């Protein structure tokens, strides 16, 4: 049973908990007003490396509290990992400035390859654990709107209000030019109901497989990372070397994000090298290839608590 101090810890804050990676030129929060952000994002890219997220959590880790009220949920989620995979419907929204590749008009082939990348990562065929999630592309739509193409500020809500389909169980992915050298952002499962139409994953159009940033950031794993947040995973370096961390037992504690592709990085005294190959760190796409068994369980817990249709939810 997964009941260590890391799993039991509850994240608390007075106002907001913000975990920032090393500063990146041009990167900024999309809401500079100081209001509480309930998403993971944005992501900045510089010449040397990218910070994949600036995470802001408000209040408590609600999934841990939900598990306390549903004592059978952890066992059910553990069983769900190896049962018939949960198939998540994906609606893909291409927001483009024009009909050119530089204008964000990603091809259908790129989108299908992106779904294949997700299925390989979450199916464990890249070298990690099979999470018990698979993804089914059910629709693609294309919107030509130069004003929406740089999807920042208030544009996000307007675009999503017009394009979003399905309920909390439907993964809406939006590709655009995000401005400020951003790679993407997502909303945590625990915040899905409260953020409403904003719920979903946003990725830079160049981050899709075959995009313009080469093997470092165009392998499709920006989406892999952000979908992890959509399923309620935190970063491997959450909380640094102390505290509850990412609430996952089998990801060694990590003091700070890892960039590029470091070898033998070990930033905390606790057992284990930094999990630089984990999809929830900040390394190059070419260096991240695994989810862990406990991450898979937590994703199923998050799915049951916040995203599954009522008839399929795990109750304690």
């Amino acid at each position: 049973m997964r009941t260590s101090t890391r799993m039991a810890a509850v994240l608390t804050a007075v106002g907001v908990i913000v975990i920032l990676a090393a500063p990146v030129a041009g990167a900024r929060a999309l809401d500079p007003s100081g209001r509480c952000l309930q998403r993971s994002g944005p992501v900045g890219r510089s010449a040397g490396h990218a910070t994949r997220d600036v995470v802001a959590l408000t209040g408590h880790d609600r999934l841990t509290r939900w598990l306390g009220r549903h004592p059978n949920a952890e066992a059910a989620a553990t069983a769900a990992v190896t049962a018939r995979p949960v198939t998540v419907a994906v609606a893909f929204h291409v927001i483009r400035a024009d009909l050119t590749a530089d204008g964000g008009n990603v091809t259908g082939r790129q989108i299908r390859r992106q779904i294949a990348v997700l299925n390989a990562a979450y199916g464990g065929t890249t070298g990690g654990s099979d999470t018990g999630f698979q993804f089914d592309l059910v629709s693609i739509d294309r919107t030509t709107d130069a004003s929406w193409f740089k999807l920042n500020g208030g544009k996000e809500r307007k675009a999503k209000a017009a394009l979003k389909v399905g309920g909390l169980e439907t993964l809406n992915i939006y590709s655009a030019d995000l401005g400020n050298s951003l790679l993407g952002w997502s909303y945590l499962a625990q915040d899905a109901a409260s953020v409403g139409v904003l719920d979903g994953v946003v990725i830079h159009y160049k981050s899709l497989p075959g995009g313009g940033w080469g093997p470092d950031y165009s392998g499709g794993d920006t989406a892999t990372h952000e979908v992890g947040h959509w399923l309620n995973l935190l970063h491997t370096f959450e909380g640094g070397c102390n505290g509850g961390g990412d609430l996952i037992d089998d990801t060694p504690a990590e003091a700070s994000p890892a960039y590029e592709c470091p070898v033998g990085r070990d930033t905390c005294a606790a057992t284990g090298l930094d999990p630089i190959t984990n999809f929830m760190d900040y390394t190059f796409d070419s260096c991240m290839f695994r989810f862990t068994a406990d991450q898979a369980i937590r994703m199923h817990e998050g799915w049951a608590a916040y995203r599954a249709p009522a008839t399929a939810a795990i109750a304690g």
Side-chain angles (χ1 to χ4, degrees):
M1 187 174 180
R2 205 160 40 105
T3 55
S4 73
T5 55
R6 294 184 72 193
M7 180 59 198
V10 176
L11 301 178
T12 59
V14 178
V16 184
I17 297 175
V18 181
I19 302 92
L20 290 172
V24 174
R28 64 178 176 83
L30 291 189
D31 186 353
S33 67
R35 288 180 293 156
C36 295
L37 300 175
Q38 292 182 307
R39 58 174 166 76
S40 57
V43 182
R45 181 176 181 274
S46 70
H49 56 250
T51 56
R52 290 188 180 270
D53 301 270
V54 179
V55 176
L57 298 176
T58 59
H60 303 274
D61 168 53
R62 291 193 289 278
L63 181 55
T64 297
R65 289 187 167 188
W66 183 87
L67 290 169
R69 297 192 304 270
H70 299 82
N72 297 329
E74 184 178 329
T78 302
V81 172
T82 56
R84 183 177 179 178
V86 172
T87 299
V88 179
V90 179
F92 202 102
H93 311 282
V94 178
I95 300 174
R96 60 194 181 186
D98 51 47
L99 303 184
T100 68
D102 286 341
N105 192 27
V106 298
T107 67
R109 182 172 183 269
Q110 283 182 285
I111 295 170
R112 291 189 293 273
R113 286 177 64 193
Q114 179 64 80
I115 300 303
V117 167
L118 290 176
N119 283 330
Y122 284 83
T125 62
T126 59
S129 294
D130 184 345
T131 69
F133 283 96
Q134 288 288 276
F135 301 88
D136 180 29
L137 181 64
V138 297
S139 66
I140 300 173
D141 58 69
R142 298 174 184 273
T143 301
T144 305
D145 189 325
S147 68
W148 283 0
F149 185 41
K150 288 195 174 180
L151 195 63
N152 51 20
K155 300 173 187 177
E156 180 188 8
R157 181 175 292 277
K158 292 179 181 178
K160 289 182 174 180
L163 301 175
K164 189 177 188 299
V165 299
L168 300 179
E169 75 284 355
T170 302
L171 172 59
N172 284 262
I173 301 179
Y174 305 82
S175 68
D177 180 1
L178 308 184
N180 299 300
S181 299
L182 307 183
L183 286 177
W185 65 81
S186 180
Y187 292 80
L188 295 169
Q190 70 172 31
D191 295 324
S194 61
V195 300
V197 72
L198 292 176
D199 183 45
V201 165
V202 179
I203 57 174
H204 197 292
Y205 74 95
K206 288 185 179 180
S207 75
L208 272 74
W213 285 330
D216 292 346
Y217 299 113
S218 294
D221 284 325
T222 292
T224 304
H225 179 101
E226 300 306 336
V227 171
H229 290 311
W230 188 82
L231 290 168
N232 222 59
L233 289 186
L234 302 176
H235 290 125
T236 53
F237 50 83
E238 185 88 15
C241 296
N242 302 308
D246 61 355
L247 307 178
I248 303 294
D249 287 344
D250 57 3
T251 54
E254 185 177 24
S256 59
Y259 298 105
E260 300 181 8
C261 196
V263 176
R265 187 175 189 262
D266 190 6
T267 57
C268 292
T271 302
L273 297 176
D274 291 357
I276 64 99
T277 61
N278 196 280
F279 286 118
M280 301 313 294
D281 208 332
Y282 278 0
T283 50
F284 287 159
D285 285 14
S286 55
C287 293
M288 52 172 59
F289 60 84
R290 70 188 304 258
F291 288 112
T292 68
D294 282 349
Q295 283 177 317
I297 294 170
R298 186 164 178 84
M299 283 189 270
H300 279 275
E301 291 166 347
W303 176 260
Y306 303 113
R307 295 204 178 278
T311 55
I314 298 171

